[in-house]
Amino acid sequence: MRVVLGWVGAAVIVAGALVGGVLVANATVFSASAFVRDYLTALAIGRVDEALALPGVDAAGMDPRLLDARAHAPVDAEVVGDDERDGVHHVRVAVHDDGTTVEAVLEVERIGTRFWLFPDWGFAASPVTPVTVRTTGDARFTAGGVPLAAAGGGPVTFAALTPGRYVLFHDSQFLEAAPVTVLAAGGGVEAELDILPNAAFEAVVTEAVDRELEACTSQRVLFPVGCPFGHAIQNRVASEPRWELTEPLDVEIAPSERFGLWEVPPTTGVARLTVDVQSVFDGSVTTLEHDVSFTTGYRIGFGGTTVVLAPVG
């Protein structure tokens, strides 16, 4: 009898230990917080595909193109709390980035049971931050290593994994934009990229304008064809007219009315005409020097990598 009671007691102790072990595991290794820690670890070591494969992770109806491992840069994040309400765990995550700390809340719910004993978890709300991007000057930009575009300058709202850092920029042959860093930590984020002509663009456009005007000054007529200046005189022309610019034009580049296209806004200059003229009254010949003010502007196009100008007005 004592032997039987001993075995029964041992069985009760073992069963209690097993139940206690399951309860401890459910509260630690298989808890909602542990599920979030696994998600954060996947992001921290660059395994974005593993994070995307977790239950409940999707673009939530937004543009999914930022959900790319090349776009996401990890941040320092840690679980700091778990509040359960109506079956949903609101797991609080402290996000440390660039000397600041913000808190993100990830919502997790039980979606099943593992090994008949342990809870299986998934996200009740996808852990993504809406990032709304607008651009000026050009639709194209890059996030990390992912080429993207915001048609017409946007706005376009992308889904970005939370937490994470996203660096948006533009760097092309003729255009550039200062990098804009976005911290995805829940809520919503807006970013604007001001895409502007770079020094190379300014140089080739200035050179193209100079060529246009040099072609005008090379014409030995009072009204150079296709040019913004000319001058009528009352007397007879006694020599070939000669034109020269008194000083280089101040060339600027600005966006045109059509998004993604550029122009040289109207700018003023002075062309000097030198020509011998013969008086219709007494036949005397004198040299005329006359400064002609003019205004010119151009639409900027490209023939391959060559800038092509079309006069405006």
Side-chain angles (χ1 to χ4, degrees):
M1 185 66 176
R2 291 194 191 93
V3 173
V4 172
L5 290 175
W7 278 107
V8 170
V12 170
I13 292 172
V14 170
L18 288 174
V19 171
V22 169
L23 292 176
V24 170
N26 284 346
T28 55
V29 179
F30 294 102
S31 67
S33 294
F35 172 78
V36 171
R37 288 191 189 94
D38 290 343
Y39 165 77
L40 295 176
T41 298
L43 292 182
I45 62 179
R47 294 182 178 175
V48 173
D49 291 342
E50 292 183 12
L52 290 171
L54 292 173
V57 181
D58 57 40
M62 294 174 280
D63 192 308
R65 288 177 290 169
L66 272 185
L67 300 179
D68 188 307
R70 297 170 297 166
H72 180 273
V75 293
D76 182 17
E78 59 180 335
V79 173
V80 294
D82 179 357
D83 302 318
E84 190 268 335
R85 297 191 298 273
D86 299 325
V88 176
H89 290 257
H90 300 260
V91 181
R92 303 195 313 278
V93 176
V95 181
H96 312 288
D97 184 62
D98 196 24
T100 63
T101 298
V102 297
E103 188 171 279
V105 177
L106 304 182
E107 298 181 13
V108 177
E109 63 183 354
R110 185 169 181 170
I111 60 174
T113 301
R114 185 181 302 180
F115 308 125
W116 299 283
L117 295 172
F118 306 112
D120 206 6
W121 301 98
F123 286 103
S126 184
V128 292
T129 296
V131 176
T132 301
V133 178
R134 292 177 173 83
T135 65
T136 63
D138 199 283
R140 300 165 298 162
F141 66 97
T142 300
V146 181
L148 298 169
V156 178
T157 299
F158 298 90
L161 284 171
T162 306
R165 185 193 309 113
Y166 295 81
V167 180
L168 315 180
F169 64 95
H170 181 110
D171 185 12
S172 60
Q173 182 179 9
F174 292 127
L175 302 173
E176 63 185 2
V180 174
T181 299
V182 172
L183 179 62
V189 182
E190 294 190 358
E192 182 166 330
L193 274 178
D194 192 12
I195 300 173
L196 300 170
N198 60 19
F201 196 12
E202 293 172 351
V204 296
V205 169
T206 298
E207 183 180 343
V209 171
D210 289 344
R211 284 198 306 269
E212 288 284 322
L213 295 178
E214 285 172 5
C216 289
T217 58
S218 67
Q219 297 184 45
R220 301 294 185 241
V221 293
L222 292 176
F223 289 91
V225 178
C227 298
F229 51 79
H231 183 65
I233 59 177
Q234 300 297 322
N235 295 309
R236 296 187 181 94
V237 176
S239 68
E240 284 189 336
R242 295 183 179 274
W243 292 95
E244 64 176 332
L245 298 181
T246 60
E247 59 185 34
L249 260 65
D250 183 14
V251 176
E252 296 182 356
I253 304 173
S256 72
E257 293 182 355
R258 291 184 58 189
F259 180 82
L261 299 180
W262 299 87
E263 66 181 14
V264 176
T267 184
T268 59
V270 176
R272 178 167 296 160
L273 170 65
T274 303
V275 62
D276 291 340
V277 295
Q278 184 178 32
S279 172
V280 296
F281 298 107
D282 59 15
S284 61
V285 176
T286 58
T287 298
L288 171 69
E289 284 193 356
H290 182 70
D291 288 347
V292 178
S293 297
F294 65 91
T295 300
T296 187
Y298 302 92
R299 287 187 295 270
I300 302 172
F302 295 92
T305 58
T306 302
V307 168
V308 179
L309 301 180
V312 176

